[in-house]
Amino acid sequence: MKKFRKVLDGLTTSSPVNIGGAPLCSSTAGTPTAAPTPREIEVVETLVSENFQICKTVRHGFPHQPTALAFDPVQKIIAIGSRTGGVRILGRPGVDCYCQHDSGAAVLQLQFLINEGALVTACADDTLHLWNLRQKRPAILHSLKFNRECITFCHLPFQSKWLYVGTERGNTHIVNIESFVLSGYVIMWNKAIELSTKTHPGPVVHLSDSPRDEGKLLIGFESGTVVQWDLRAKKADFRIYYDEAIHSVSWHHEGKQFMCSHSDGSLTTWSLRNTAKPFQLTFPHGRTQRDGRKPESCKPILKVEYKTTRNSEPFIIFSGGLSYDKANRRPTLTIMHGKSITALEMDHPIVEFLVLCETPYSNEVQEPYAVAVLLEKDFIVVDLTQSNYPIFENPYPMDIHESPVTCTAYFADCPPEIIPVLYSIGAKHKKQGYSHKEWPVSGGTWTLGGQTYPEIIITGHADGSIKFWDASAITLQMLYKLKTSKVFEKPKMGDGRVAELVEEDPFAVQMVSWCPQSRLFCVVGISAHVILYRFSRHDATTEITALEVRLQCDVEEPISPSETEANTGLLDASLHSPQHPPGSPGSATPDSVRDSIPCLRVKNRPIRMPPGYQADLVVQLLWVDGEPPQQITSLHLNSAYSLLALGNCNGLVVVDYLQKNVLLCMSTLELYGSNDPYQRLARSPRKSRQFAAGLTELTDNQVSLELDRSRSPTSDHVNGHCTSPTSQPYGAGRPKLNRRGPSRPPFRKVQSAACMEVSLPAPHTEGCASRRAMLQQLHGYSVYSHDEQHSTAYSWNERESRENSFSRSRSSSVSSIDRETKEAVTVLRFMESYARKVDAVPSACLWVGTSLGVVLVIALSIPTDEEERLEEPVTVMPSSTVLTIKGSVLTFGSLDCNGSLVSNPYEVWRDPHAPEDPDCPRRRKLVNFSPSTSQEMSGEGHLAVVCSEKQAKVFLMPAQTCLYVHHITESSFVLRADVVSVYNSVCLACFCANGHVMMLSLPSLRPLLDVNFLPLTDMRIARTFCFTEGGQALYLSSPTEIQRMAYSQDMCDSLQEMLGELFTPVETPEAQKGFLKGFFGGNAQTFDREELFGEAAAGKASRSLAQHIPGQGGLEGMKAAAGGVVGDLARARMAAEERGQRLGELEERTALMMSSADMFSRHAHELMLKYKDKKWYQF
């Protein structure tokens, strides 16, 4: 029988389904009616596989875990390296590029080839990489892997092609940048120090050439030894031995002295005339001793910069060096200018800083104008030209993670007026006190691409804040910030029910719903509340309406079809009455004080609200019998209907926000009525106790309680799936189990979507246990299975888990499941549809999807007249329509019979607080609202698209015939699915837990794309991944960064045009010339490094020391980046222009030299003629 059933299930998976017979997937109730078959519905599908391609476009936000910083003073671009091997290169707004090392090794140091369009990166795997920046997508040209030594420091002199590399063993190697091979010239540590020295000097921590003489190399060792090495003579000029470890060295521009920072918080200044001892020793933050002794030691000064100016005292800038006497002091950047010492306190630890100077030459007066400071979680630039040292306003979106991101939403092709409106209101609340000068990192070029349209990204955060971002043209700019916490009273320690929540994040945002056309905005919070906002250009003082809903589900009593039929469509007033008494009758438990109260208190007084989004309504779920309300797992808003629907593990709530009342409050079981496809059996009290105890014993794949506690509340549901265990009210006479221990807070600590670091099982693993473990971590369903005596992920019994499908045979048309009867509402959608098979015209409906793969359709009766809508009640009645699909339902879509997407009806925005015009009274303007839509769709019906974590189906309504079915995945499951518009057509976009991105045509569900694009390394990606219209998507790639991607061929093709240019041809500034500089040592002595380090003089380096690896950034990579032959021609033309420009400059210089020589010859001849006939005594 088992084999025969599998054969039947295999027959039902073919696509299309039921071409000539009765419908295989239909409603469980009602009389089947004749419906068109797929052959009768002719839909011309225009999408083909060639329309789709996956590529990453741009990354926004602050680089996660930064490690290194570099600046090109001529090109004026900056590079930031990270611990994960990423490199962000930033220029003017719009010039933002992300590169990634394939090895993933941390970036230790960055070195620009100044004004050459190249970058050298040194990674923790002891590999050097040379990046080509003369293309929009930088690529690696060469790599050099050190095999026997670890890289600790690199230095590249200006206009030199030889890179000095210091190692952990204390040796210094030299690398040719052009060929990326080692020179035979090596400075061994035992040659650099004196032979009498008995200890190793330690790793190389500093390398720099002398400003006076490029043939002198200053080498700093960690132990405190400093050596100046004569490259020509191959010997040490002098050696300095100091007791304290050295962290950094900085030269004075004249090359006569240098400064060192030490581990005891001191700064020493050394003169080349006398290297026996420092001529100056200072402890900038040390407390001086009265008896003249050495000041107390301070924290290490990790870096110091010594920069000179023409018209004032030099700048000495360093990080660290604070005294130990004060604990928990903020990290500081200290600026010493003359006699003034300014300590700038930072919010985060300092990773690296650079002083930006006017000249790239080290032997000239530096003239510093700014300091770029890289912090662990921020990037700032300080203006040195003003005495109060203000910071520049950062044009990059570096504050996405200001509070941890908990949810994201992406909207493309928004109304064009919405972005200027949000920007104008948000600009009024911007911070003040920035420097009045322009942002100094202004390199690169960027132009607005041809394919641009308004795009908005919305991020929700752990502190309850909402941020709107302008994402048009692959840029990101902050528009508007909204704080949802202002709606509630601040939690007080004296309040018993919120005392446990004070240190949590009670305002954390779980999900958002936004209607750009009507400008209505809904926010779901972690404390089981929903806030509805209306947009207004005017400020207002209003009182916020609060609706309290008591939503519970009794799962202990057996549910028979007769009982459910009797209760279908009826509402229990106690379920949703906001005036419910603050205690359950007959309850004598200590937790009875926590019955029928919300988690947070809404302000019950008039509140002044500034222009922008203003709170209008708050819906709160109440505590029930001492248990906190379950988190909301699904939400949908429709402005034309003026209705709001929300669901969780207990059931469904429908709210009329126009009349401010609750229309429906039912458990999922009550929605079925007599059409429940399952036989729900009650469990014994023993099993209930086992289930309650099992909440702390998640044994699948040894998932521990710590994993559950570390999971963010916002990670407790993915795509609306309920994860937290649901409270079980017990009947009278039964002992009530308190699952939450006496010390366990009702909500777990919010870590945000950014902090979800959970390793997942291999996506190809088969079997019930692996799938259950993946669902346990991603969805977190807690249900009882009769074959296991603990809480497991949502699964059927052993046989049903393997097959994971409902039987279509008549004998087993009703599945019997011996487990908890909780059923989460995972997705909601208001749409114009048919609630029953017998309906002739469409009407307003609410489609409900559950975690058991069941689709319910609820009929809505909404008055059409505006005045009647304000007074007459809206009728909400569950219908008999029940559709089934394999797996938890993720999304709905509606198509007309021509295959075009049917948009949701909406109301055109009108300002609720605008002054009234008696001549032109304001009326509601509805778009795509029945009956006009109904007349167009009547007689034809429409196609309903339903996608779950396993399958996708297309139903013909009102016949409820399953036309097409497609099994998306067997070994994995779908995390996110959306019906999107692309190329003036419609498709179904899916993202699976195994990292695959899939595109299916509609309505035939024909596979168009299946790419293993994104390995699911943590829960963050699963929680924040979302598709949008026009072929784009995004996800949170790190706790601080948003990665955008494209899945349409046109978007990928136009990406090259939309990206900015990192390199722009700029003439290198000439070195300063002066008559006296040559006599007094101002100019550096130049020498031919090729003569010293070349193969002819130094020989070849040992092959075992380092291995050269050719990069992918050669001709092939540049061809791909430039876009084929046209790019090659453009690049050749650019090279020819540069070559011609250089030849022209050379010709001009040659002509100038010839004229100068001719003039000199003429003056010499005149001088000779003048004194030719004079005797020596006549002078």
Side-chain angles (χ1 to χ4, degrees), residues 956-994:
L956 176 62
M957 304 298 290
Q960 302 176 14
T961 306
C962 180
L963 301 181
Y964 300 95
V965 58
H966 177 73
H967 291 272
I968 300 175
T969 177
E970 292 296 338
S971 60
S972 183
F973 53 92
V974 180
L975 292 170
R976 181 68 187 238
D978 289 292
V979 178
V980 294
S981 297
V982 61
Y983 290 103
N984 297 321
S985 188
V986 188
C987 69
L988 178 64
C990 303
F991 173 60
C992 298
N994 57 8

Side-chain angles (χ1 to χ4, degrees), residues 615-744:
D616 182 63
L617 175 68
V618 178
V619 182
Q620 293 179 286
L621 302 185
L622 302 177
W623 284 62
V624 177
D625 296 334
E627 289 290 337
Q630 295 302 303
Q631 298 172 11
I632 297 170
T633 57
S634 56
L635 173 76
H636 198 246
L637 169 75
N638 189 279
S639 57
Y641 302 160
S642 299
L643 298 180
L644 170 69
L646 59 98
N648 67 358
C649 295
N650 286 337
L652 172 68
V653 178
V654 180
V655 177
D656 183 349
Y657 64 79
L658 211 57
Q659 299 184 16
K660 304 288 194 306
N661 59 10
V662 178
L663 301 177
L664 178 75
C665 182
M666 279 188 175
S667 68
T668 317
L669 299 179
E670 294 174 304
L671 295 176
Y672 285 107
S674 60
N675 304 304
D676 192 347
Y678 307 110
Q679 222 174 26
R680 308 186 187 253
L681 305 179
R683 299 189 314 276
S684 65
R686 174 176 171 272
K687 288 185 178 182
S688 300
R689 288 191 294 270
Q690 288 173 349
F691 173 71
L695 291 174
T696 59
E697 299 175 2
L698 305 177
T699 60
D700 283 336
N701 283 3
Q702 299 181 351
V703 181
S704 63
L705 176 62
E706 285 73 14
L707 174 63
D708 183 68
R709 287 179 177 174
S710 67
R711 188 182 298 133
S712 163
T714 54
S715 70
D716 285 351
H717 65 90
V718 176
N719 298 324
H721 296 191
C722 175
T723 67
S724 53
T726 310
S727 59
Q728 299 184 21
Y730 288 77
R734 298 181 181 178
K736 184 168 71 69
L737 297 178
N738 188 1
R739 299 204 195 120
R740 180 176 52 81
S743 62
R744 180 182 174 187

